[in-house]
Amino acid sequence: MALSIVGKRAIRLEAPEKVTGSAAFVADLKLPGLLVGKVLRSPHPHARILNIDTSRARALAGVKTVVTFTDTPGIKYNAAAHPAPGSVLLRDQYLLADTARYVGDPVAAVAAVDEDTAAEALDLIRVDYQPLPFVLEAEAAMAPGAPLLHDSGRNIVGRVEFTLGDVEDGFREADHIFEHRYRTSKVFPCSVEPPGVTMARADWSGRLTVWSSTQMPHQIRRIVAGALGVPQGKVRVIKPYVGGGFGSRLGAVNEPLCALLAMRTQKPVRLAYSIEETFLGTESRHPIDLTLRTGVKADGTLTARRLDAILNAGAYATHSVSFASPVGNWFRGMYKCPNYRYEGIAVYTNTSPSGAFRGYGNPQVNFAVESQMDEIAEHLGLDPLTLREKNHPCMGDIWERTKWPIESCGLEEALSLGAAEIGWREKRGKSRDGGKGRAGGGSSSGTGDASSTGNAVRGGDAFRHRGVGMAYMLHCSCGRPALHELSTAMVKMNEDGSANLLYAGADSGQGSLTVMAQIVAETVGIPLEQVQIDPVTDTDLTGFEVGSHASRQIYAGGNAVRRAALAARHEIVALAADIVGAAPGDLEIADGVIRSTSDEQKQVTVAEICREALFGSRRRQIIGMVSEEPEGNPPVYAAQFAEVEVDTRTGAVEVLKLVAAHDVGVAINPANVEGQIEGALQQGLGYALTEEVVHQPATGRPGASNLGEYKVLTAKDMPEIKVIIVEAASRTGPYGAKGVGESGLVPTAAAIGNAIYDAVGVHLDSLPFTPSRVLAALKGEAGAKGAVITVKK
Amino acid sequence: MPKFELLEPADTREALSLLSELGERARLLAGGTDLMVNLRRGRIRPEYVVRILSKEGLQGFSTGSTGLRIGAMATIREVAVHPAIKERFPALARAALSMATPQVRNRATIGGNLCNASPAADTAPPLLVHDAEVDISGAAGSRTMPLRDFFQGPGAAALQAGEILTAIRVPDPGTGVGAAFIKLGVRKAQEIAIVSVAVLLRRGAAGQVDEARIALGAVAPTPLRVPAAEDELRSRPFSLELAARAAGLAASAVEPIDDVRATAEYRRAMAGVLVERALVDAWEKAAENCEG
Ligand SMILES: Cc1cc2nc3c(=O)[nH]c(=O)nc-3n(C[C@H](O)[C@H](O)[C@H](O)COP(=O)(O)OP(=O)(O)OC[C@H]3O[C@@H](n4cnc5c(N)ncnc54)[C@H](O)[C@@H]3O)c2cc1C
């Protein structure tokens, strides 16, 4: 039967609540006697804590508790979420630091009657630090004699190797070998609701309830219980509306600490980190140093690929022990090549911990690989599109990331639609061919309409050059087979024919709630309005759900939801068959009505069947329940194209247009898919152009610690955007869906970098492409350090 | 946020007497878009905050034969959209529009922008090239001074304790004048300048530069004029080469620093590029404004 709800641009279920401001986020929740928590953070990047005097803070009226390392349970924990064996969770962290390991490391916490009292209490705490030598860069931290962060004897926290074939043989076979070194920056998601907004209550029965703005309620329950040494069954996690995730709340942020304050005071406590604290003490994308060596035949066939990656893990392990694996997986999965070798090393430094951020290592790898592919194409005289078409893995090929055959591939269509939309054939190579560049249409390197007119002058136009560039990417639909991907869903049919979906999905603004409702409605055969899902997720009321990570929510969660709905539908059909006297196979359901395909007279409504089940002969409720992992992990493909204008005197890069052609499998809700991609492009643009936190060499402090200094691009900065959805249906996803949550930002930086090359002929090897970096590259200052191109024969 | 007592005097006279009585213990509040940020960050801890919102005489615009008077409490938005400013002082309108966000522009005042005395204050360069003057009132009386002398260092304006900036006077530029403003930053809104430049040129009948004024922001402890570059231009026939020469002089006159936004080196280089571009732009506008 044709689909009637899947594929529709259904309006977000929660839109009215959010638009009217009635949607409650953690910070909106109130309980009687609610206390306010605050954290005191280390001003030193590395220091022994000799003594903490909390007496004056404790004495302040309104202060209910002050805690330091000695008040914690003394249990080492890891804030990351993924359970073993898929990832190794090295426990190297206490709830409050014994030794300060980065500027921002929490050393004490207070709970007080209000915000001002809590802030004043922090001011009254005296900490005697003995500053220790510190190290901020990963490479320096690996060197002998570097200051050690933990007592493990070395700063290397994780090391991963992957090999196929023999790379040395492959390099011998190559006509050309390219080697470059790329560096990526430390960036933060900066979601509208900062990560680390928690409320906790310890009641007299010993129950601990944690309201968390998390992406993974069930994982938080386990992490909180473990960190505090309380039985997991005593912990209940509730996730209300969440204002953005992007990986920033993939594990615990401050839930265990807030719970500790609640347990100490036996009062509800709210601990809400400010946006400034985001930059000081929450997880960022890993800065990675990537040395990439590629062997290629004159016709563009790849013979050998080698990547050596050094990951800056920050001060605590969190995800980093295993993080080098996905980095290597993205690398080896991107292109077909009989020989590859990958080595990834994660290293502790005295900076805030790195962790998950949309794309999970792929944006870094993609920037390196796709920047280099552009140079290879240029060198071999091949169209960059041709080089990708020739080497990307396709349907039926083994995807090296999973070692499973690829279910579907829409890349070729994405490449050709994207190329047409950006005007690839007309524009690519024109700037460099002409040698003079094309003058810009009066747009500006300055800021704002206000100043832009000021630049439209004869003296300036000759310095503005346009170019187009592209990059391709492959991403995942979940974390299988490495990671555990369990989802549990229950579809409960009510006597009026409506359905409740009980599912611990972690919609953090991406709209997955609505898509789940579409899946239930389509699968059962009832109108969308008859499906109810509580946006509040509660671990007491739902089965285990991994949470929202790895672009999995619709692919993996949607699979369980669809299968639970299918189970309910089977029961409905079976009972209906009895009642109308038809074979179950003969019945279809649409819009809440069950009809026989062979006899029009035979029909009954879903409501009648559900009522009959409850109150009639059966006396049981129709409930479909499934707890399972999805079968596969189909890769998603995308090709992105950028058109830029580079001002060669200021180094400013203006992105004029972005085209994002994404194969997402079947788009269950195309508006949501476009929303995910557009939002990701905004983050990808910032990654490419402006966003970066550099820890200051002298002080170890983050160079940007608020949204004035950390440049998230604004609505005014967004270029024209064209999202093209390509639907190469997967075999294993619900209704053929694949993942889309992360992929939108993966190839953006490389596409922009390659467009800059097209415009002005320089390759940039470090993110972001700030005006001063672009200028330096134009003067021939940069690139010299990293790029080595060896041409044999 | 540190606690303070909010005082709301009925008029400017009462405000002045309160301020003179409280001295260093009080701070004036206009739109609060700088003051509140500094309070929250604990950079200032006044016991009293004196609010001068909606006070007569401090608001509004008046145009006369000699020029324009802008009340210190005029909001940045009002400055950006005021017809007389858009028409006769477009560089100032552009600078105002380049600031912050619509929300901030609705609250922020031009007086606050100047009194805050940030080297990057966006309204400063265009006002400097227009030879603006500021009216200042204190308990002891009123005075007027050139804006050029008003900026004394980062965060330091030439105000005695208890003084209020009441108005800004901008002389009419006359005919044959073109002015330009360019702000360099990495994003198009919500951006403090890395470098900002304003230029005013008067075009002589024979194609020579009759008058040249150049001001820069964010490249020295205060917004500043660059006389050496201005002198280079005066009385000479305008050309791209001349503009480049003057720009070079401007770049060597600035004293930028390294900060999170940019290096000193980049700032100095950009000071030259922006001055050159602004000169060309202003020259073209001057041609449009020539009579006949
Ligand atoms: C998000 C954001 C973005 C911003 N972006 C920009 C930008 O792009 N460009 C820019 O230049 N600025 C920017 N600012 C700074 C600020 O908005 C401006 O400087 C604004 O014009 C200050 O005016 P105000 O009325 O808010 O001043 P207030 O904060 O009220 O006062 C500032 C200071 O001046 C004193 N003061 C105010 N009025 C008077 C008076 N009449 N007499 C004597 N003293 C007085 C106050 O005591 C205080 O010390 C931004 C600020 C924010 C918060």
Side-chain angles (χ1 to χ4, degrees):
Chain A
M1 238 174 67
L3 300 175
S4 60
I5 299 167
V6 160
K8 292 281 174 321
R9 295 173 174 266
I11 290 175
R12 294 278 186 96
L13 301 180
E14 77 280 18
E17 287 254 295
K18 284 190 177 164
V19 170
T20 57
S22 44
F25 295 76
V26 174
D28 299 312
L29 304 177
K30 294 203 169 55
L31 285 171
L34 183 64
L35 301 177
V36 175
K38 274 200 189 297
V39 167
L40 184 70
R41 297 173 179 278
S42 168
H44 301 286
H46 200 188
R48 192 163 293 131
I49 296 170
L50 302 176
N51 182 46
I52 306 185
D53 178 1
T54 60
S55 55
R56 288 173 64 212
R58 281 176 211 277
L60 184 69
V63 173
K64 299 297 175 186
T65 190
V66 182
V67 291
T68 67
F69 168 67
T70 51
D71 305 298
T72 66
I75 301 172
K76 280 192 169 166
Y77 86 116
N78 183 312
H82 306 301
S87 79
V88 181
L89 297 178
L90 181 71
R91 294 163 179 270
D92 60 356
Q93 188 169 8
Y94 294 110
L95 283 183
L96 292 164
D98 55 339
T99 297
R101 292 185 176 85
Y102 65 94
V103 172
D105 206 352
V107 297
V110 303
V113 288
D114 57 31
E115 193 84 26
D116 287 347
T117 311
E120 209 179 327
L122 291 189
D123 286 346
L124 295 174
I125 299 173
R126 288 284 153 269
V127 187
D128 295 334
Y129 292 102
Q130 179 196 337
L132 298 169
F134 60 93
V135 58
L136 304 171
E137 299 294 333
E139 213 177 344
M142 287 165 68
L148 294 178
L149 273 89
H150 296 271
D151 47 19
S152 49
R154 55 181 205 160
N155 287 328
I156 292 178
V157 56
R159 175 183 230 124
V160 173
E161 280 181 41
F162 296 138
T163 336
L164 182 76
D166 184 328
V167 271
E168 291 316 318
D169 280 354
F171 284 123
R172 269 190 293 276
E173 280 169 42
D175 294 326
H176 306 276
I177 297 172
F178 295 81
E179 184 169 322
H180 299 89
R181 191 164 177 186
Y182 299 94
R183 285 162 212 272
T184 69
S185 48
K186 189 172 181 79
V187 292
F188 293 79
C190 299
S191 47
V192 174
E193 181 189 27
V197 185
T198 306
M199 180 169 80
R201 178 180 63 190
D203 63 31
W204 297 103
S205 71
R207 202 104 215 269
L208 193 58
T209 307
V210 178
W211 289 262
S212 162
S213 71
T214 184
Q215 298 172 238
M216 323 197 112
H218 283 88
Q219 315 269 32
I220 293 298
R221 180 167 64 158
R222 196 184 64 252
I223 299 167
V224 167
L228 294 170
V230 301
Q232 197 173 311
K234 291 284 182 197
V235 182
R236 174 181 185 184
V237 175
I238 300 173
K239 177 204 85 78
Y241 281 118
V242 172
F246 313 115
S248 66
R249 47 209 87 192
L250 211 59
V253 184
N254 58 11
E255 290 87 344
L257 188 55
C258 185
L260 176 70
L261 292 171
M263 285 164 70
R264 297 265 307 192
T265 54
Q266 288 294 314
K267 286 247 159 59
V269 177
R270 180 164 62 225
L271 182 58
Y273 286 172
S274 64
I275 188 73
E276 285 77 11
E277 287 179 288
T278 296
F279 298 107
L280 276 176
T282 70
E283 290 172 16
S284 67
R285 191 183 295 298
H286 286 78
I288 308 185
D289 184 324
L290 307 110
T291 304
L292 185 63
R293 193 172 153 86
T294 304
V296 57
K297 291 274 197 201
D299 69 354
T301 308
L302 300 177
T303 61
R305 302 177 68 223
R306 178 177 177 142
L307 174 63
D308 291 281
I310 303 173
L311 291 70
N312 188 330
Y316 296 102
T318 71
H319 299 242
S320 292
V321 177
S322 317
F323 196 87
S325 295
V327 169
N329 277 326
W330 304 126
F331 164 72
R332 62 173 167 171
M334 275 184 83
Y335 285 110
K336 291 186 290 190
C337 180
N339 309 295
Y340 63 70
R341 187 178 145 69
Y342 164 76
E343 182 176 357
I345 301 175
V347 188
Y348 283 132
T349 63
N350 293 104
T351 61
S352 59
S354 304
F357 179 4
R358 200 174 206 172
Y360 211 72
N362 205 357
Q364 296 96 311
V365 171
N366 191 278
F367 166 60
V369 171
E370 288 298 276
S371 298
Q372 191 184 58
M373 280 310 247
D374 210 56
E375 286 201 47
I376 294 175
E378 176 75 18
H379 209 86
L380 301 184
L382 290 174
D383 184 341
L385 297 182
T386 313
L387 191 61
R388 270 72 173 195
E389 277 162 357
K390 194 177 176 71
N391 290 296
H392 78 84
C394 198
M395 184 165 167
D397 290 334
I398 295 294
W399 188 25
E400 282 297 315
R401 184 188 196 282
T402 56
K403 302 272 184 191
W404 295 334
I406 292 175
E407 295 180 29
S408 66
C409 169
L411 181 65
E412 245 116 269
E413 194 183 338
L415 282 169
S416 75
L417 292 175
E421 176 66 33
I422 201 82
W424 183 258
R425 221 158 275 145
E426 308 83 76
K427 293 176 180 167
R428 174 75 180 187
K430 295 301 182 297
S431 237
R432 283 166 293 142
D433 289 353
K436 302 185 284 289
R438 284 158 285 150
S443 67
S444 145
S445 61
T447 64
D449 303 340
S451 48
S452 62
T453 41
N455 279 348
V457 294
R458 283 189 315 254
D461 275 357
F463 301 102
R464 297 208 177 87
H465 300 257
R466 289 192 177 183
V468 293
M470 62 82 55
Y472 127 90
M473 72 108 229
L474 256 182
H475 202 69
C476 62
S477 296
C478 69
R480 292 196 70 215
L483 294 182
H484 171 272
E485 287 296 4
L486 184 62
S487 285
T488 306
M490 181 168 131
V491 172
K492 171 168 79 73
M493 299 303 305
N494 303 309
E495 60 266 45
D496 65 347
S498 68
N500 289 107
L501 172 65
L502 281 76
Y503 167 63
D507 192 333
S508 44
Q510 73 270 48
S512 55
L513 211 67
T514 308
V515 176
M516 296 303 178
Q518 285 180 270
I519 291 174
V520 171
E522 182 75 58
T523 308
V524 175
I526 55 178
L528 185 60
E529 306 73 58
Q530 291 200 13
V531 181
Q532 307 300 328
I533 314 180
D534 194 339
V536 178
T537 291
D538 185 333
T539 55
D540 269 13
L541 307 180
T542 49
F544 186 88
E545 158 70 19
V546 162
S548 180
H549 78 125
S551 302
R552 73 176 293 277
Q553 196 77 93
I554 300 309
Y555 174 74
N559 169 69
V561 167
R562 180 178 154 273
R563 303 253 297 133
L566 214 49
R569 180 192 169 103
H570 284 321
E571 276 203 57
I572 294 168
V573 168
L575 181 53
D578 279 0
I579 285 175
V580 301
D586 196 27
L587 296 178
E588 359 175 280
I589 318 183
D591 216 20
V593 182
I594 308 157
R595 288 190 183 82
S596 156
T597 49
S598 55
D599 181 352
E600 276 190 12
Q601 298 303 314
K602 293 183 176 173
Q603 61 163 268
V604 60
T605 66
V606 171
E608 283 164 333
I609 294 299
C610 292
R611 219 169 15 248
E612 173 65 19
L614 264 174
F615 302 118
S617 51
R618 305 288 164 106
R619 297 288 163 93
R620 79 185 216 98
Q621 186 165 22
I622 295 178
I623 292 178
M625 223 217 67
V626 155
S627 183
E628 66 173 37
E629 289 193 288
E631 191 189 323
N633 177 5
V636 293
Y637 291 85
Q640 289 190 0
F641 296 79
E643 181 167 18
V644 303
E645 184 172 287
V646 182
D647 184 326
T648 54
R649 293 194 79 192
T650 62
V653 176
E654 168 143 22
V655 177
L656 305 171
K657 181 168 181 173
L658 280 178
V659 176
H662 282 239
D663 162 24
V664 299
V666 171
I668 295 176
N669 186 327
N672 267 12
V673 168
E674 288 159 4
Q676 284 299 295
I677 294 170
E678 286 178 13
L681 288 173
Q682 188 270 353
Q683 289 178 321
L685 263 176
Y687 191 47
L689 297 179
T690 55
E691 296 180 35
E692 178 176 33
V693 169
V694 178
H695 283 79
Q696 302 301 294
T699 59
R701 295 178 159 274
S705 58
N706 59 53
L707 289 175
E709 295 162 350
Y710 185 86
K711 307 285 184 184
V712 174
L713 293 174
T714 69
K716 259 192 144 179
D717 296 297
M718 291 305 285
E720 180 190 347
I721 286 181
K722 175 77 181 173
V723 173
I724 298 170
I725 298 178
V726 173
E727 298 186 290
S730 70
R731 182 180 58 78
T732 55
Y735 295 99
K738 305 193 272 195
V740 68
E742 298 169 286
S743 53
L745 57 62
V746 172
T748 315
I752 291 171
N754 294 342
I756 293 173
Y757 173 72
D758 190 47
V760 295
V762 295
H763 285 287
L764 297 164
D765 52 18
S766 298
L767 288 173
F769 310 135
T770 56
S772 47
R773 279 203 179 116
V774 174
L775 267 194
L778 285 167
K779 288 186 195 148
E781 289 164 14
K785 74 175 178 309
V788 184
I789 303 182
T790 319
V791 186
K792 299 204 307 187
K793 287 167 194 165
Chain B
M1 186 161 68
K3 292 200 171 52
F4 58 80
E5 191 173 326
L6 181 68
L7 305 173
E8 299 189 273
D11 54 27
T12 310
R13 186 176 318 167
E14 195 188 324
L16 287 172
S17 78
L18 265 175
L19 287 170
S20 78
E21 180 189 323
L22 299 170
E24 298 289 319
R25 291 149 71 202
R27 279 284 188 153
L28 210 55
L29 173 83
T33 59
D34 278 316
L35 190 83
M36 297 312 289
V37 175
N38 289 332
L39 270 169
R40 276 185 192 282
R41 300 220 170 121
R43 289 184 195 142
I44 50 172
R45 291 175 175 271
E47 283 172 60
Y48 300 92
V49 168
V50 180
R51 191 179 194 195
I52 51 167
L53 205 69
S54 330
K55 294 303 171 260
E56 88 308 328
L58 296 182
Q59 275 188 319
F61 300 81
S62 47
T63 44
S65 53
T66 53
L68 174 72
R69 178 187 182 278
I70 307 172
M73 289 298 290
T75 65
I76 297 297
R77 178 182 180 276
E78 286 165 348
V79 171
V81 302
H82 195 275
I85 296 184
K86 278 166 79 174
E87 156 112 22
R88 288 153 66 198
F89 309 99
L92 176 60
R94 249 182 252 136
L97 192 62
S98 81
M99 281 175 62
T101 60
Q103 294 91 330
V104 172
R105 293 198 291 272
N106 282 338
R107 278 213 74 84
T109 65
I110 189 165
N113 195 231
L114 298 176
C115 293
N116 192 55
S118 158
D122 280 315
T123 63
L127 287 171
L128 283 171
V129 298
H130 278 291
D131 277 344
E133 295 182 318
V134 286
D135 289 347
I136 296 167
S137 288
S142 299
R143 61 195 173 110
T144 296
M145 70 190 291
L147 181 64
R148 261 181 109 155
D149 301 332
F150 185 70
F151 301 115
Q152 306 200 318
L159 287 171
Q160 308 295 319
E163 280 188 325
I164 295 181
L165 174 73
T166 53
I168 297 119
R169 294 178 188 279
V170 205
D172 197 281
T175 57
V177 164
F181 173 78
I182 304 179
K183 173 174 171 179
L184 183 72
V186 299
R187 50 183 184 190
K188 293 182 180 171
Q190 192 69 296
E191 185 71 342
I192 305 295
I194 292 173
V195 180
S196 60
V197 167
V199 160
L200 179 146
L201 294 177
R202 177 173 297 115
R203 190 169 177 135
Q208 82 285 12
V209 179
D210 269 357
E211 173 62 337
R213 298 178 205 148
I214 302 172
L216 293 106
V219 288
T222 65
L224 80 169
R225 289 270 295 267
V226 281
E230 296 174 353
D231 292 345
E232 179 70 18
L233 291 156
R234 272 190 209 107
S235 313
R236 294 222 160 89
F238 189 84
S239 67
L240 289 180
E241 294 69 38
L242 179 67
R245 253 193 347 262
L249 290 171
S252 34
V254 301
E255 308 157 39
I257 54 161
D258 289 326
D259 69 8
V260 290
R261 294 200 290 281
T263 60
E265 187 195 358
Y266 182 72
R267 283 200 158 97
R268 185 183 296 283
M270 290 310 107
V273 172
L274 265 55
V275 166
E276 190 180 326
R277 289 181 176 177
L279 283 168
V280 176
D281 188 17
W283 186 250
E284 285 179 355
K285 294 213 172 89
E288 290 161 21
N289 292 338
C290 278
E291 273 170 346

